[in-house]
Amino acid sequence: NSFMVGGFVRDTLLQRETHDMDFATDISLSTLSSLFPHSLVFAKFGTLSYRKDGVDITIAHFRKEGDYQDHRHPLKVEFISSYQEDSIRRDFTINALYVSKDFEIHDPTGYGLADCESRILRFIGEPEKRIQEDPLRIIRALRFQEELSLTMEENTRKAIDSSFPLLKLLSLEKVKMELEKCPSVVQQKVRETLNMV
């Protein structure tokens, strides 16, 4: 099974232009590598990437992730055969919509389609836990909210508001790199909250 997933699906439903394409599959990485011999392979995470006709394409094996060791990286990555289980590791419901080769949309979280339609930003699972796993999701959420004109679901908003100090656990370089992708209003909010110059 192979599906288109992530930002391309989300942006298409939100009627936004997009240039990146992500696919999720149960095809082995060795098979994918033989099909796309000039791709960049990240075996640990079961992904490969390449560029075609100006579009950045990433293909990832379905996976689930163990506990996170440093608020950034999972201790263990396990490759699996279920897209439903794969969806659990993703950050927001609007990023966990899977489109089959027949253009059928699968919504394993049960919220993705409705949240796209209502322009709601909602964490998958427990918001506090998802932020503990990777505090950069705070900045990512603020960027999506601003760029996509979304309203944060209440529990998502509360978790983000209370979790800002976790950003201080990350390297300043990581935070700055993520901020570079953000609109100025988000950059200003994060810098003021963290007392960054």
Side-chain angles (χ1 to χ4, degrees):
N1 288 327
S2 298
F3 300 89
M4 184 180 292
V5 67
F8 188 91
V9 177
R10 176 200 70 222
D11 288 348
T12 299
L13 290 172
L14 293 176
Q15 299 182 328
R16 289 174 51 87
E17 187 176 348
T18 185
H19 301 288
D20 299 334
M21 298 180 75
D22 294 286
F23 294 87
T25 184
D26 59 3
I27 300 173
S28 71
L29 195 60
S30 58
T31 300
L32 290 173
S33 298
S34 66
L35 293 172
F36 305 99
H38 302 296
S39 60
L40 188 61
V41 178
F42 298 93
K44 180 179 179 181
F45 296 105
T47 68
L48 61 80
S49 301
Y50 63 96
R51 190 172 179 83
K52 182 176 176 60
D53 299 329
V55 177
D56 291 317
I57 298 172
T58 298
I59 306 174
H61 199 289
F62 300 146
R63 67 182 190 259
K64 67 178 181 179
E65 300 172 346
D67 292 335
Y68 281 61
Q69 57 182 339
D70 56 0
H71 297 288
R72 283 291 292 137
H73 303 101
L75 283 169
K76 183 177 73 170
V77 173
E78 180 181 344
F79 302 122
I80 55 178
S81 59
S82 164
Y83 77 88
Q84 293 94 335
E85 196 169 3
D86 179 76
S87 72
I88 295 171
R89 70 173 179 84
R90 297 180 181 271
D91 49 10
F92 304 106
T93 59
I94 58 174
N95 290 337
L97 293 168
Y98 295 69
V99 179
S100 71
K101 64 179 185 298
D102 301 319
F103 297 102
E104 181 179 358
I105 299 176
H106 299 264
D107 183 8
T109 71
Y111 290 99
L113 278 171
D115 285 348
C116 267
E117 184 174 344
S118 301
R119 304 188 85 89
I120 297 292
L121 188 65
R122 182 195 312 268
F123 273 116
I124 295 170
E126 300 174 24
E128 292 84 359
K129 181 181 178 182
R130 306 318 306 275
I131 294 172
Q132 283 277 349
E133 290 171 349
D134 183 359
L136 282 180
R137 287 173 174 155
I138 294 171
I139 301 177
R140 191 168 157 85
L142 294 171
R143 173 164 65 89
F144 282 155
Q145 180 187 32
E146 188 67 24
E147 288 182 347
L148 305 177
S149 300
L150 304 176
T151 299
M152 281 194 194
E153 178 268 335
E154 184 178 2
N155 291 327
T156 293
R157 178 185 57 76
K158 287 180 178 177
I160 287 172
D161 287 346
S162 64
S163 299
F164 258 95
L166 291 177
L167 288 172
K168 295 181 179 179
L169 301 176
L170 305 177
S171 74
L172 194 58
E173 194 60 34
K174 282 284 186 187
V175 174
K176 285 181 175 178
M177 284 174 61
E178 193 69 23
L179 282 178
E180 286 175 1
K181 307 173 189 176
C182 296
S184 58
V185 63
V186 173
Q187 293 185 23
Q188 182 178 353
K189 178 175 181 178
V190 173
R191 289 178 185 278
E192 286 177 353
T193 304
L194 297 181
N195 296 315
M196 292 169 61
V197 176

